[in-house]
Amino acid sequence: MENLLSTTINSLSVWIHVVDSDLQIIMMNDALKGMMKSLGFRENLSKKKIKEVFPFLSRKVINEYHKVFKTGVSIVTEDVNEFEGRKIHTETIKEPVFEDDKVVRVITVIRDISNRKLAEEHILDSQKQLKTFAAHLQTIREEERVVISRELHDNLGQILTALRIDLSRLIKKLNDNDKNMDIHSLADHAAELMPLIDTSIQMTRKISRELRPRILDELGLVAAIEWQVEKFIKRTGVACTFHSDVQKIETEVSNKIAVFRIIQEALTNIARHAHASRVVVRIKQFDQSIIVEVKDNGSGINGNYISGTNSLGLAGMRERAVLLGGTLMIKGKPGEGTVVKLSIPLKAVRKLK
């Protein structure tokens, strides 16, 4: 039975040791021995005081052992220790062993929970980013509403007001039943209304395009990205070339919009921050993925900005990439530009058709 217990304990990957009431180690399993050897301990560590074997143990931990011997109640703690310059998060269970109602030994089980802690930190960071991103999206919506409201009021509203005034004058003339009324004069007056009508139509189309480019529905994603590149060139004067090895990407409209917005945000960031003189936008199929890449020769994005929680534009791009079932890679080097690479698995694209 003892051999079976010893074999079982030694087969476990967790670190286990047993101390007596003098806090002397009387047994440790193979996993713990291996870890100690990796730290440079070669001699037999049994029969040594626990403080000799683990000199980094705090007074608090030593007191926990005394408490288990005194109360017979197990203690579970989480600690952070440094091994070989690396922080290791551990969960430690100190369990009493009784003989004749007296605690004679304490079994200590130490488990490395670094990966779990790292995952928890990632989840907390993601939750924080999602909250920030949600607030950012709400801000963007409000800003878009302000812009649309201003466009409607300052431009379209004024045009329609002028149109109404001219139409009222024209109707008044028609209602006057003046026999001397010059029909050619009325025709000229009506013709003057046409530019106002044309301008209002153009303004409506402009607002509609800003909300969602019709080219996405009419010609597809590849053509829409090419249109966005041409728009970028006209707006910034920066040389920008577009290459596509893919003729058409068939997927749901919502996913086309997501890809389009990622590229739009990448080009907007270049216009605002990169000080670039050349940009290349490329779409290609590689292995089992569709790759959309935006590369510039500008100042290069800062690594801290890439990983920071305050870079909301980048957070939005990443969230869209995740919703597409893809990945977004952003890397930059000072003075050598930035690369934004969106990778979407073909199976995800096909599933979304």
Side-chain angles (χ1 to χ4, degrees), residues 116-133:
R116 191 187 84 189
K117 283 292 179 184
L118 191 62
E120 287 174 357
E121 286 173 11
H122 282 322
I123 290 169
L124 288 173
D125 285 344
S126 295
Q127 288 174 340
K128 184 180 176 182
Q129 280 193 357
L130 283 171
K131 286 179 182 177
T132 308
F133 182 54

Side-chain angles (χ1 to χ4, degrees), residues 161-178:
T161 300
L163 194 58
R164 188 181 187 283
I165 291 170
D166 281 352
L167 277 173
S168 296
R169 287 168 55 199
L170 187 60
I171 291 168
K172 186 176 182 301
K173 284 183 180 180
L174 290 170
N175 288 334
D176 282 345
N177 292 320
D178 188 352

